[in-house]
Amino acid sequence: MGTARTGVTRRSTLLSLCALVLGPLLLITGCGFLALTACEAPGDRDDPRPRATVPAEVLRALRTASTVTRQAGSARVTAVMTMGDRVSTRTTGTLGWRDGLNGALTIRYTGGTLVGTLRGLDIGTTEARFVDGVYYARMSDAFAAESGGRHWVRHPHDSSANFAPNQSVELLLAAPDTRRTGRETVRGVPATRYTGTLRPADLPTRGPAADESAELRDQLRAAGVTEERVDVWIDGAGRLVKRAERSETAAGTLHSTAYYRQFGVRVAPVTAPPPADTVDYAALLPSRAGQ
């Protein structure tokens, strides 16, 4: 009985750590906590909600930035994330988003109350691969021992969803209080900063995006997300060079900041891990783990 209980507890712990490992992958792609719900461009220009509080020139600048950043197609990325006092990370790599999300990232766990546990399970550093919009996280031998000998976790998403960095700009287009907050220099690059806060109730209830927004609203509430604060910095060419997001959730506050440079850089080809060494994230969820 004690051995069985220990095994269940260990598996539960590993599944929780798996969620923490995958978190930075979702955040780095520019959708913050909303990425967990595969958000789909809520800032539709046909959104019928009154937008008098957002200056027209701000909306024009952000729409241009979304288009220009999307068309850039790729960039080198550096990011940091903190999830309350539980874990902090630093992520580096190159991503392409011209035809689905592709590229590779290295995630280092740098602090937090769980970092010792992570390192004890040999998860001090994680390799992440994005292949045709599906992402994979390389776990450890300790994790594989609890997942049928499989080291990689696969997390697919709706192929129609847009996870390029311009998604942060799209979030600002949906926020009712979006504003320009001044000029700053981001790692030597002059940029204009824009800020806004998005809540589930802000998503449109009418128009072309209503169905997608209703589903997203339900998912956000189920995840305990009460609001998302978004800041973006746009350079003189209209490209997103920095984004910062703060999510207020039932589990606490989550912060992430990402920097983008060398737009249009070549992205080295990456391949999906062997299927025999891969497990789907959905199969690890607690509701299924006990079946």
Side-chain angles (χ1 to χ4, degrees):
M1 180 71 69
T3 301
R5 185 180 296 110
T6 299
V8 171
T9 300
R10 180 176 175 81
R11 178 177 175 81
S12 176
T13 299
L14 287 171
L15 294 180
S16 298
L17 293 176
C18 177
L20 290 177
V21 167
L22 289 174
L25 310 188
L26 297 162
L27 290 162
I28 191 64
T29 57
C31 207
F33 213 88
L34 301 182
L36 294 170
T37 62
C39 55
E40 180 74 27
D44 194 292
R45 68 186 61 204
D46 296 323
D47 180 353
R49 292 171 301 154
R51 299 306 302 270
T53 58
V54 181
E57 63 271 20
V58 170
L59 295 177
R60 285 195 298 269
L62 289 174
R63 287 171 181 153
T64 298
S66 179
T67 298
V68 171
T69 300
R70 183 177 64 251
Q71 292 176 345
S74 65
R76 298 198 188 279
V77 183
T78 302
V80 293
M81 183 205 75
T82 60
M83 192 176 291
D85 63 351
R86 293 185 296 167
V87 68
S88 59
T89 65
R90 178 178 173 81
T91 302
T92 57
T94 303
L95 287 178
W97 52 86
R98 194 177 302 279
D99 185 19
L101 199 62
N102 290 277
L105 299 172
T106 299
I107 303 169
R108 294 180 176 83
Y109 298 87
T110 56
T113 59
L114 290 177
V115 72
T117 304
L118 285 165
R119 290 173 178 166
L121 293 169
D122 198 25
I123 312 180
T125 299
T126 299
E127 176 188 355
R129 297 181 188 177
F130 294 81
V131 183
D132 296 330
V134 178
Y135 53 87
Y136 302 84
R138 177 60 160 83
M139 307 296 281
S140 65
D141 290 341
F143 175 86
E146 303 293 334
S147 60
R150 302 186 179 197
H151 294 83
W152 290 86
V153 177
R154 177 182 185 271
H155 198 306
H157 63 72
D158 182 348
S159 61
S160 67
N162 177 11
F163 282 89
N166 66 292
Q167 188 67 58
S168 291
V169 181
E170 296 288 352
L171 290 177
L172 278 182
L173 286 169
D177 64 344
T178 297
R179 58 200 182 277
R180 182 169 50 217
T181 54
R183 297 276 294 173
E184 299 178 17
T185 299
V186 177
R187 297 188 169 182
V189 177
T192 302
R193 181 177 180 176
Y194 298 87
T195 301
T197 301
L198 181 68
R199 301 174 181 86
D202 296 327
L203 295 168
T205 57
R206 296 182 293 119
D211 290 343
E212 292 85 353
S213 295
E215 181 179 359
L216 173 57
R217 189 183 300 107
D218 290 343
Q219 291 172 330
L220 288 172
R221 288 171 175 165
V225 179
T226 57
E227 70 175 32
E228 175 98 351
R229 159 71 180 265
V230 182
D231 291 82
V232 301
W233 288 256
I234 308 299
D235 71 7
R239 300 170 300 193
L240 175 67
V241 293
K242 178 183 176 182
R243 47 151 286 271
E245 297 184 27
R246 184 190 70 208
S247 300
E248 298 297 338
T249 78
T253 303
L254 186 151
H255 297 269
S256 69
T257 302
Y259 298 87
Y260 302 91
R261 61 186 179 89
Q262 293 183 5
F263 288 92
V265 66
R266 178 181 177 274
V267 179
V270 294
T271 58
D277 198 24
T278 303
V279 61
D280 282 345
Y281 180 70
L284 300 173
L285 296 177
S287 60
R288 300 187 183 188
Q291 295 178 358

